[in-house]
Amino acid sequence: MAAEAHSTATLRLSVGDLRIVHPITVPTGPVPAADVVPALQELVNAVVAAAEAGKAISCRKGCGACCRQLVPISRTEGEALVALVEAMPKEQRKALRARFAAAEARIAGAGLADRAGRSDRELSIAYFALGVACPFLEDESCSIHRDRPLVCREYLVTSPAELCAAGPAQEGVTPVPVPKLSLAARRLQDETDDWFPLAMLMAGSRTRPTGGKRRPGTEWVQRFLKGLKN
Ligand code: SF4
């Protein structure tokens, strides 16, 4: 089978105070939106590297305090993550599915499965208070570090690590001001600014719409860039 053709372009972006020059490579032909997620991850990596330059970052491997927060995920990233889980070896997939089922049960049991009637802040505080670890967290480290969501890449702190675990109000925690490109991913397929909690990935995969549009990779990138301006 012939290798899939790819197109490369140099993006010149102004995001916040940052000026980013970044080569981006995407499939040339029509693909699902999830197929451009790796390219968006590289772009976010470049933005994060520029934002954290010269700062003393406290985040370390083995500190998973922030992985008990509500992690908002776009439909497109959700599709890429479900595909990632489906491609894992059987035993790993089974263990992961069990952790997702346990997390979903605790979230539903606390009445947090339905976002209706709550502000995002109220929901975030309630989630953190519940202390449900992200199912991808293993030994306090991210087991999908290379494929972790955009919003996880964008969260770094310069304050002492112990403050991150101190309480839902996150008093004294100083995040690095990283422009949130992850927000644009939410509008990639749909015009609405929709998201779901990462811990509900598997539960949602049974009910979320499937069979999204296929577009050339460059068109997905253009839609993403347009989403940055909204
Ligand atoms: S995906 Fe990884 S980095 Fe993100 S919350 Fe889960 S364990 Fe933490």
Side-chain angles (χ1 to χ4, degrees):
M1 198 165 70
E4 191 176 51
H6 285 75
S7 309
T8 300
T10 301
L11 293 185
R12 295 173 198 281
L13 285 183
S14 293
V15 279
D17 297 336
L18 305 175
R19 306 287 169 267
I20 309 294
V21 179
H22 177 74
I24 189 163
T25 300
V26 290
T28 307
V31 291
D35 284 20
V36 299
V37 166
L40 301 182
Q41 291 170 342
E42 293 295 327
L43 176 60
V44 167
N45 287 350
V47 171
V48 171
E52 70 176 350
K55 297 190 170 61
I57 305 299
S58 321
C59 308
R60 295 281 179 274
K61 190 173 181 190
C63 173
C66 63
C67 302
R68 289 168 175 79
Q69 293 187 19
L70 191 164
V71 178
I73 295 292
S74 62
R75 169 186 169 185
T76 302
E77 283 194 272
E79 288 167 358
L81 285 169
V82 168
L84 180 78
V85 173
E86 294 304 327
M88 287 176 178
K90 190 176 169 193
E91 286 308 310
Q92 188 184 1
R93 199 170 62 231
K94 200 171 149 195
L96 195 49
R97 282 190 174 278
R99 290 204 295 273
F100 266 105
E104 287 160 15
R106 283 195 61 199
I107 291 164
L112 298 177
D114 186 359
R115 282 162 44 200
R118 286 192 182 84
S119 70
D120 291 356
R121 175 147 179 83
E122 282 169 348
L123 198 64
S124 296
I125 290 175
Y127 249 74
F128 194 85
L130 200 58
V132 174
C134 172
F136 289 116
L137 192 67
E138 289 178 5
D139 298 328
E140 294 302 306
S141 291
C142 181
S143 63
I144 56 160
H145 191 260
R146 206 189 59 167
D147 301 291
R148 70 198 186 285
L150 303 181
V151 71
C152 301
R153 292 162 203 263
E154 292 170 340
Y155 192 75
L156 299 162
V157 303
T158 53
S159 42
E162 55 271 22
L163 292 179
C164 294
Q170 298 283 283
E171 278 170 23
V173 174
T174 313
V176 175
V178 177
K180 300 292 182 281
L181 272 64
S182 55
L183 296 176
R186 297 183 191 177
R187 289 184 285 266
L188 199 51
Q189 295 193 67
D190 311 298
E191 300 308 323
T192 51
D193 179 22
D194 202 13
W195 58 271
F196 62 90
L198 175 56
M200 302 299 282
L201 175 71
M202 291 304 169
S205 71
R206 295 188 284 274
T207 55
R208 279 189 297 275
T210 54
K213 280 193 178 145
R214 298 171 73 92
R215 300 177 190 271
T218 48
E219 203 175 308
W220 285 124
V221 172
Q222 281 165 3
R223 287 175 67 89
F224 182 78
L225 297 177
K226 191 175 157 209
L228 284 180
K229 293 180 194 144
N230 293 339

